[in-house]
Amino acid sequence: VNVGGLSQADLASRLRRDGICLRTGPFVIHLETPISGLAAALHFLYADFPLDALEGLTDFHVRVIPSGGLRRWWRPQTIFMVDRKIPFTPTPAGLALPMLEWGLNWCVGFHAHQFVVLHSAVVERSGMAVLLPGRPGSGKSTLCAALVNRGWRLLSDEFALLRPHDGRLTPLPRPISLKNQSIDVIREFAPGVVIGPAVRDTHKGTVAYMRPPADSVIRATEPAVPAWVIFPAFEPGAVPRLEPLPKARALLRLADNSFNHSLRGVQGFEVLTGLIDSCDSYEFEYGDLESALKLVDSLEPRRATFRAGRPAPAVSTGPESRPAPPGEATAPRSRAPLGSWRRGSLLLEALSHPEALSDLSVPGWDRLLFEARQAGMLARLGARVEEVGLLERIPGRAREQLTGAQALAAHHERMARWEINRIQRALAGTGIPIVLLKGTAYIMARLPAARGRLFSDVDFMVPKEQLATVEEALLRHGWQAVKLDAYDQRYYREWMHELPPLQHRDRHTVVDVHHTILPESGRLHPDPRRLLQAARPVRGPGLSVLAPAHMVLHSAAHLFQDGDLQAGLQNLTDLDELLRHFASAGSFWDDLIAEADRLGLRRPLFYALRYTAMLLDTPIPARVAAAARAGQPARPLLAIMDGLVTRALAPEPRRDRTVGVARWLLYVRSHWLRMPPLLLARHLLRKSLKRTGQSAG
Amino acid sequence: MSAVLPVRWKIGDPSMLSWRVWGDEHVVFDGRSGQLHLLNALAAEVLKSLHEEPADAELLTQRLLSALELDPAPGLVDQVSALLIELDKLGLAEPIDG
């Protein structure tokens, strides 16, 4: 069934109730919206698109909804949600269609890592494709629309999706976005063209969408061979000029228009060089469409063979990053039947018992992937699936999602290693040892917790008396303060456990330099000297990581005392991995209990052991669990924490308002633990005044 | 300027560099940083030379003169030294024990 096969009322009703599965090229979008105007636009523009889920799996769950509360009446807005997250600020209500189109572009550009994704229009004729990469305003969509109206097949007006294994282009036909004068230009150029109503006052001006030709939509599974790369530049009145572009410069221009080639490391580089080798590349200035098309039509295809990149590895981590083989020191995950969903979450079951995924049905996979995307745990799930040897035995489209996410995680790992290298270089000669914390520590210590982990910043710790030297060295090597406000600076320097975050001016990576592991204004004060003294060296000059017991305690304190719930489930699975890995290491459990006592971290340790066991079946020896009860809170408080933590950390299989409330209450709790009441009141007042000032300004 | 430089230079990690040469155009992809660099002939020759063997700026200059069949010119050592600092910033070259 195609979208156009339904009546508009039927489509609107389906979109409002259960949603539809809309297939666009290689992707299936589960789309829900109660906005009838958007349903009408979809009925018009997507008439030829099939309504089905490839292999029963969806890639993105999208909801486009009107804003609630007072906003319903006062300047109503539209919200774009993907996998229960809101990636952008809402737009005015009338912009629902552009919001959806831009949102779908965002989904592809930043998540479709099974492809090398370029920002480029692509059209094809006789099996040979032209790529038209270009930034907004270069005229690529206008040229693309004109070519499509003269017999070229539309692959996409926005993305070139390069298959890494053979360099062919996968079509992604969707409505062509025309802006401002281009709308009338195309209407005049092709009077029979089907263009939807113009939407005014977007941040790109007036936008209208051209319905893609039915033939392009029907042939959306036919890949094409790239033959030309043409960088368009529209210049009113210019005589069309096709200027050959030297290959190295074409490669750099292509890399500038790439969303993710570097994410695949050397394989991404080889895909791009293969493309450049097999294509003729040009700069193309044009001033009118007729003469531009004549020139493009005159191109002679050069039947070059694409030099394919390496076969796509499941995950490309270097030999150094390979964690210790599972089973060597890691407690095995017991086989248990999947499907009881006793915690209401299939993801938790899958992370605890990945072996059982061999029995999972296709609808089960669809739900599991949805939960994993929601929790930002797709790569870690992929690592678990790979670890138990199931990656080749799961539905192909599920594998694509998992390996794409693993490629992203492998890229994060490479970038974290690189950042450590740059920090070492900046601090060379100071003689200050660097104690890595959290994710970067797991990488450099080659721990299983590094597998499939995503990073947002690099954390390391130095003695407090060395902070000034470290900060000065980092500032000299290109890092800059992110928090420029005088109050924020004071907040970090007086009360926190780290310097204000520093961001590199070129790489935009963020470094957190710690001098201890919990805020100085907080209730607990673990002795940082003890942590630094017991640190263990890892490969690399001047690098070390916390001792195993301290590493677990830091992770526990970070999650349950400092309340970092942004990546709550990832942090909990870190703890699970660390505990399983260190479980068989000599005196680990005794050290853990003893160090929790010495550092005053009994309470966070109690929570860590309780909730890893409860949510992830982490095996905790009975005597250790008993000893950890020294940190147990009073029963009423424990009952409250059980309710909050299990809601806040588990993914949401169904929409559940209590989850948001639980996360908010834990956020409030973390602030309560972070500062004494009077200081906290002053801090919150200050922050709210600042926010009010900003919104007023 | 060269007097304050560390004595010898090397490639950061040669195994992570992927090269592509089209005529006199040199492109190198650094797998550690994920960065793609377009190199001029001098920078390409410096990296190739360091790949073969670490060297200080003066030795490197001699090697370049020979490889590129150039005549000695005043200031070339300083030019090579400045280039090494640029390559260091990009993470392509680094001083040994620096």
Side-chain angles (χ1 to χ4, degrees):
Chain A
V1 180
N2 291 346
V3 171
L6 303 176
S7 70
Q8 193 179 311
D10 192 9
L11 177 68
S13 162
R14 288 191 191 201
L15 282 165
R16 196 167 41 246
R17 280 186 288 119
D18 304 318
I20 60 169
C21 283
L22 183 69
R23 198 161 126 193
T24 62
F27 307 111
V28 175
I29 295 129
H30 182 263
L31 179 61
E32 290 174 63
T33 182
I35 302 170
S36 54
L38 185 55
L42 288 168
H43 193 259
F44 180 75
L45 292 170
Y46 282 85
D48 301 307
F49 284 73
L51 286 170
D52 67 338
L54 276 168
E55 294 180 21
L57 291 169
T58 47
D59 294 271
F60 309 106
H61 281 251
V62 170
R63 293 179 74 212
V64 182
I65 53 172
S67 50
L70 283 177
R71 279 286 189 185
R72 251 178 286 185
W73 296 282
W74 184 70
R75 293 186 188 173
Q77 293 181 320
T78 301
I79 298 167
F80 177 88
M81 295 179 82
V82 57
D83 297 325
R84 303 253 170 91
K85 291 180 202 135
I86 301 174
F88 325 108
T89 49
T91 59
L95 307 187
L97 177 63
M99 175 71 140
L100 172 65
E101 289 297 319
W102 295 329
L104 295 181
N105 289 345
W106 181 83
C107 290
V108 174
F110 292 97
H111 296 88
H113 301 313
Q114 60 269 45
F115 300 101
V116 171
V117 183
L118 306 176
H119 189 210
S120 171
V122 189
V123 293
E124 173 265 350
R125 199 162 64 182
S126 309
M128 311 302 275
V130 185
L131 283 86
L132 300 165
R135 299 193 180 281
S138 62
K140 73 176 166 52
S141 291
T142 316
L143 192 55
C144 171
L147 287 163
V148 165
N149 279 293
R150 289 290 169 86
W152 290 74
R153 173 164 71 110
L154 172 71
L155 269 76
S156 172
D157 88 312
E158 200 65 36
F159 296 110
L161 303 179
L162 280 161
R163 303 197 305 203
H165 63 284
D166 64 3
R168 286 174 182 243
L169 292 155
T170 295
L172 177 59
R174 288 210 345 247
I176 298 178
S177 162
L178 299 168
K179 291 160 215 96
N180 304 314
Q181 295 94 326
S182 295
I183 302 166
D184 286 337
V185 167
I186 292 297
R187 277 206 175 107
E188 272 177 40
F189 180 79
V193 71
V194 183
I195 297 179
V199 183
R200 296 178 205 291
D201 301 326
T202 78
H203 69 280
K204 295 182 180 184
T206 301
V207 178
Y209 292 91
M210 185 188 115
R211 186 201 285 175
D215 174 65
S216 300
V217 179
I218 292 163
R219 294 172 60 197
T221 55
E222 278 180 40
V225 178
W228 302 279
V229 178
I230 297 177
F231 295 92
F234 174 73
E235 190 59 48
V239 176
R241 196 165 49 91
L242 209 51
E243 196 75 43
L245 196 56
K247 289 197 177 292
R249 290 186 190 280
L251 177 67
L252 260 77
R253 296 269 304 265
L254 216 48
D256 272 350
N257 285 284
S258 158
F259 283 89
N260 65 352
H261 77 278
S262 65
L263 191 143
R264 287 185 166 268
V266 73
Q267 189 197 29
F269 172 68
E270 288 176 355
V271 169
L272 289 194
T273 52
L275 177 69
I276 290 294
D277 275 333
S278 63
C279 292
D280 290 326
S281 303
Y282 300 95
E283 279 181 324
F284 183 40
E285 194 177 78
Y286 74 97
D288 74 285
L289 286 174
E290 283 295 352
S291 47
L293 260 61
K294 263 186 208 152
L295 211 51
V296 176
D297 281 337
S298 70
L299 290 167
E300 285 293 323
R302 182 169 67 90
R303 297 257 170 197
T305 313
F306 183 84
R307 192 174 57 83
R310 293 176 191 176
V315 63
S316 53
T317 46
E320 277 186 23
S321 66
R322 292 259 178 259
E328 196 173 275
T330 304
R333 294 167 204 283
S334 62
R335 165 89 194 216
L338 197 70
S340 59
W341 304 1
R342 61 192 155 86
R343 301 174 199 98
S345 161
L346 194 50
L347 177 60
L348 291 178
E349 293 290 340
L351 292 169
S352 312
H353 307 291
E355 298 91 340
L357 288 170
S358 59
D359 302 330
L360 191 62
S361 65
V362 169
W365 269 105
D366 194 42
R367 176 174 161 165
L368 173 61
L369 293 172
F370 174 45
E371 285 187 28
R373 290 195 304 268
Q374 239 187 89
M377 296 286 290
L378 213 47
R380 183 151 275 185
L381 175 65
R384 292 270 163 98
V385 171
E386 192 178 28
E387 189 185 311
V388 294
L390 283 178
L391 201 56
E392 296 306 316
R393 291 163 49 198
I394 64 175
R397 298 193 61 249
R399 184 166 55 247
E400 274 180 9
Q401 287 193 34
L402 294 181
T403 52
Q406 281 180 287
L408 177 66
H411 173 68
H412 278 208
E413 178 178 330
R414 282 193 296 275
M415 291 304 98
R417 283 178 182 277
W418 179 237
E419 207 54 30
I420 295 167
N421 174 288
R422 297 292 82 191
I423 291 165
Q424 281 179 296
R425 186 79 189 85
L427 299 185
T430 63
I432 298 171
I434 301 167
V435 179
L436 299 167
L437 300 174
K438 304 183 207 169
T440 47
Y442 309 153
I443 289 175
M444 298 311 282
R446 302 170 62 190
L447 295 174
R451 278 192 291 235
R453 194 179 195 282
L454 301 180
F455 297 84
S456 53
D457 46 25
V458 171
D459 299 79
F460 69 93
M461 184 168 158
V462 295
K464 192 172 184 181
E465 57 275 15
Q466 306 277 19
L467 276 180
T469 310
V470 170
E471 186 175 19
E472 193 270 331
L474 292 175
L475 291 174
R476 206 158 12 95
H477 284 82
W479 279 269
Q480 297 168 329
V482 179
K483 306 276 185 187
L484 297 173
D485 180 81
Y487 177 77
D488 286 338
Q489 285 283 328
R490 184 177 167 215
Y491 170 78
Y492 277 93
R493 291 177 194 280
E494 277 189 31
W495 302 314
M496 287 298 105
H497 48 305
E498 60 196 10
L499 288 175
L502 295 167
Q503 185 171 42
H504 197 274
R505 65 172 172 240
D506 301 323
R507 299 188 296 276
H508 308 294
T509 42
V510 174
V511 169
D512 290 331
V513 185
H514 298 240
H515 55 86
T516 183
I517 58 171
L518 282 174
E520 295 212 297
S521 56
R523 313 267 173 102
L524 305 180
H525 300 97
D527 181 1
R529 285 167 305 181
R530 189 168 181 82
L531 300 170
L532 291 170
Q533 277 162 11
R536 310 275 173 91
V538 288
R539 193 174 168 177
L543 293 182
S544 54
V545 299
L546 295 177
H550 292 164
M551 201 182 273
V552 170
L553 289 168
H554 177 215
S555 184
H558 183 58
L559 181 56
F560 294 108
Q561 191 73 17
D562 206 20
D564 183 4
L565 291 165
Q566 288 291 325
L569 189 55
Q570 173 169 275
N571 291 334
L572 194 76
T573 51
D574 282 351
L575 275 165
D576 169 68
E577 293 277 18
L578 293 175
L579 290 167
R580 286 175 194 269
H581 181 76
F582 292 133
S584 58
S587 59
F588 167 71
W589 291 112
D590 294 328
D591 292 346
L592 186 62
I593 296 294
E595 288 303 302
D597 281 348
R598 286 197 192 101
L599 294 168
L601 296 174
R602 285 182 194 163
R603 178 67 56 87
L605 176 65
F606 168 77
Y607 286 140
L609 300 184
R610 181 176 182 82
Y611 296 122
T612 50
M614 198 182 268
L615 294 172
L616 295 166
D617 285 349
T618 312
I620 311 291
R623 68 178 179 85
V624 175
R629 274 189 213 112
Q632 181 175 327
R635 286 201 176 277
L637 179 56
L638 182 59
I640 292 170
M641 280 298 282
D642 282 354
L644 295 180
V645 172
T646 51
R647 271 181 183 75
L649 293 189
E652 299 171 65
R654 286 167 292 278
R655 275 174 222 147
D656 181 354
R657 285 179 190 279
T658 63
V659 171
V661 175
R663 285 181 183 161
W664 183 78
L665 286 171
L666 285 172
Y667 176 75
V668 171
R669 171 186 174 269
S670 71
H671 272 74
W672 178 252
L673 296 175
R674 186 178 280 197
M675 291 177 157
L678 189 59
L679 185 59
L680 178 61
R682 276 167 37 201
H683 174 68
L684 294 177
L685 182 66
R686 184 91 195 205
K687 284 282 174 190
S688 63
L689 285 175
K690 191 176 158 190
R691 211 167 292 140
T692 311
Q694 278 169 350
S695 56
Chain B
M1 190 172 174
S2 57
V4 297
L5 281 175
V7 181
R8 294 169 74 227
W9 292 79
K10 62 171 187 168
I11 299 274
D13 183 349
S15 69
M16 296 300 279
L17 296 186
S18 302
W19 288 80
R20 202 63 221 275
V21 181
W22 287 285
D24 58 353
E25 294 184 300
H26 302 257
V27 172
V28 65
F29 175 75
D30 185 355
R32 293 193 305 172
S33 66
Q35 292 293 310
L36 195 58
H37 305 284
L38 178 65
L39 304 177
N40 62 22
L42 184 66
E45 204 52 48
V46 164
L47 280 187
K48 280 182 205 160
S49 180
L50 290 179
H51 192 180
E52 280 163 24
E53 201 179 354
D56 61 26
E58 286 201 28
L59 177 57
L60 209 45
T61 307
Q62 285 169 22
R63 285 195 209 158
L64 291 174
L65 291 174
S66 158
L68 300 174
E69 296 176 356
L70 298 172
D71 293 326
L76 194 56
V77 176
D78 286 346
Q79 203 181 328
V80 169
S81 300
L83 178 61
L84 285 166
I85 290 169
E86 282 306 308
L87 293 174
D88 183 20
K89 280 184 191 162
L90 296 172
L92 292 171
E94 60 189 49
I96 296 175
D97 302 325

